[in-house]
Amino acid sequence: MQCLHAMHKMSPLKGIKVIELAGLAPGPFAGLLLADFGASVLRIDRPNSISGDQLTRNKTSITLDLRSQTSLNILLRLLTTADILIDPFRPGVLERLGLSPTEALLKHNPRLIVARMTGFRRDGKYKDMAGHDINYLAVSGVLSMLGRPAEKPHAPGNILGDFAGGGAVCFQGILLALISRSHTGRGQVVEANMVDGSAYLATFPRLGRNTPAWAEARGENLLDGGCPYYDTYETKDAGRYFAVGALEPQFYAALVRGLGFEIGELPKREDRKEWPVLKEIFTRKFKEKTRAEWEAVFDGTDACATPVLEQRELQEDGYEQRPVVHLVSTPAVPIHADNGGWTGGGMLPGDGGVDTLREWVGWERGKDFEVREDGTFVVVNSKSKI
């Protein structure tokens, strides 16, 4: 099997070795971002595990039983040569395994960066509690801002907490630690949590609470669905929507023209008391044409009016998934069908791990290690060195 992390020689993180302890959502997403930009990411799976992780693009895997000293020894040997360890566990789990970052891991490898991803903060009243994305958003103050007027707060899937405030923020912390290491020569512990990450993403509305843009209740502000010219509208074909973001006067004028109105025919857009009336007018108007017909009207204009495209449509139309950012001189590994651009998954526990051990530490199966029936990698030669 060709090593996936060698696919793109000019990627910016080529040569960076990452050990990702298997988890769900934010930890694997941080690993995915690292892998997409050329890092060699080795996921550590548990024996007899059936992973539901879909974020496996460009990664490899080995299976270790971290309750076993033999497996812990293998992990410690790998960590000697690794640059980054992604820890997705609740506070205290690594310590109970004898893998305290400060007391063990950084003494074992002073250049190691230990990225610890938790949901709640590591201190405070929630630190020992279980939770999910919706809970982290709830205590961060962000969930209270999401939803329609006079309705209950609405959680936007698990995108904002797990991925934006969690995995992506953890990825940023890792990059900052790599920059710091380039100056100091030493690694460190990166502590990311989804409460602080999500709250930080909400800096703009938090600081705008006393401004016209965000001073009203949930769902009644300029950018949260309260404004009639910053909202979505159902079209004639039920279930198909159009998005409108015509905030500036010149863009609003283009929207009004496209809808077939004159500015003077409509309530004044600056008058918030008229927003419900204006919204009702737009609602009725958008239902007069299909989404495709509105596309024909607004495509190529500055009305800030676009179709709400669905994932299934994009996939069927051959929409190209791309890395999060393009670096002109050192681009990321391309995303395509063969590495799960639309489907995800595709990596079972143990996939590609034999090649990674050969590349990282020069170990050969049968000589230095073997794979048991349950998939666990075990050392067969105690003299094998890194």
Side-chain angles (χ1 to χ4, degrees), residues 64-80 97 99 108 363 377 379 382 384 386:
L64 295 177
D65 182 358
L66 298 184
R67 297 167 300 181
S68 158
Q69 190 60 48
T70 300
S71 284
L72 283 175
N73 289 341
I74 293 176
L75 179 61
L76 286 171
R77 290 187 183 189
L78 292 173
L79 287 172
T80 297
L97 291 170
L99 299 173
H108 184 72
W363 284 2
F377 283 57
V379 173
S382 60
S384 296
I386 289 181

Side-chain angles (χ1 to χ4, degrees), residues 199-365:
Y200 200 93
L201 290 169
T203 295
F204 179 68
R206 184 178 71 250
L207 297 181
R209 285 177 300 159
N210 297 318
T211 69
W214 287 101
E216 304 300 326
R218 176 176 62 248
E220 297 179 0
N221 296 286
L222 186 67
L223 302 179
D224 64 359
C227 175
Y229 42 92
Y230 200 91
D231 204 350
T232 59
Y233 293 93
E234 189 174 33
T235 59
K236 186 177 181 179
D237 38 350
R240 296 293 182 95
Y241 292 84
F242 233 74
V244 171
L247 294 174
E248 291 78 5
Q250 68 274 25
F251 300 154
Y252 180 76
L255 171 69
V256 169
R257 286 194 301 271
L259 290 173
F261 296 113
E262 297 292 336
I263 291 287
E265 296 180 65
L266 299 174
K268 291 184 178 180
R269 76 186 201 111
E270 297 83 5
D271 187 350
R272 285 178 176 257
K273 294 180 181 178
E274 297 288 356
W275 278 6
V277 177
L278 191 54
K279 184 170 290 193
E280 180 58 32
I281 292 172
F282 287 172
T283 297
R284 291 197 305 267
K285 192 66 178 180
F286 270 102
K287 286 187 176 180
E288 292 179 3
K289 297 181 187 292
T290 66
R291 198 188 72 182
E293 289 172 332
W294 284 121
E295 285 187 72
V297 170
F298 289 115
D299 278 2
T301 75
D302 281 345
C304 301
T306 54
V308 177
L309 300 176
E310 298 174 6
Q311 292 294 319
R312 180 180 298 176
E313 291 180 85
L314 292 170
Q315 184 176 5
E316 291 172 351
D317 290 345
Y319 179 83
E320 179 187 21
Q321 295 287 352
R322 295 178 180 176
V324 64
V325 67
H326 179 61
L327 303 180
V328 175
S329 299
T330 56
V333 179
I335 301 173
H336 48 74
D338 291 344
N339 61 13
W342 274 105
T343 58
M347 185 176 76
L348 297 174
D351 280 358
V354 171
D355 292 332
T356 300
L357 292 186
R358 182 186 304 113
E359 287 203 7
W360 281 26
V361 297
W363 284 2
E364 296 290 344
R365 183 172 185 173

Side-chain angles (χ1 to χ4, degrees), residues 114-190:
V114 183
R116 311 195 78 176
M117 181 76 255
T118 60
F120 297 115
R121 290 177 168 179
R122 302 185 74 85
D123 54 4
K125 64 182 292 185
Y126 303 108
K127 66 183 179 65
D128 296 322
M129 292 171 54
H132 281 295
D133 181 290
I134 193 170
N135 307 113
Y136 313 138
L137 291 186
V139 302
S140 74
V142 176
L143 186 58
S144 69
M145 296 186 289
L146 306 176
R148 289 295 186 179
E151 294 184 4
K152 64 182 182 180
H154 175 73
N158 66 334
I159 296 171
L160 186 51
D162 280 349
F163 292 96
V169 167
C170 185
F171 172 67
Q172 293 177 46
I174 291 168
L175 297 183
L176 291 170
L178 285 171
I179 293 171
S180 177
R181 192 181 72 173
S182 71
H183 302 307
T184 67
R186 300 186 66 82
Q188 61 181 295
V189 178
V190 174

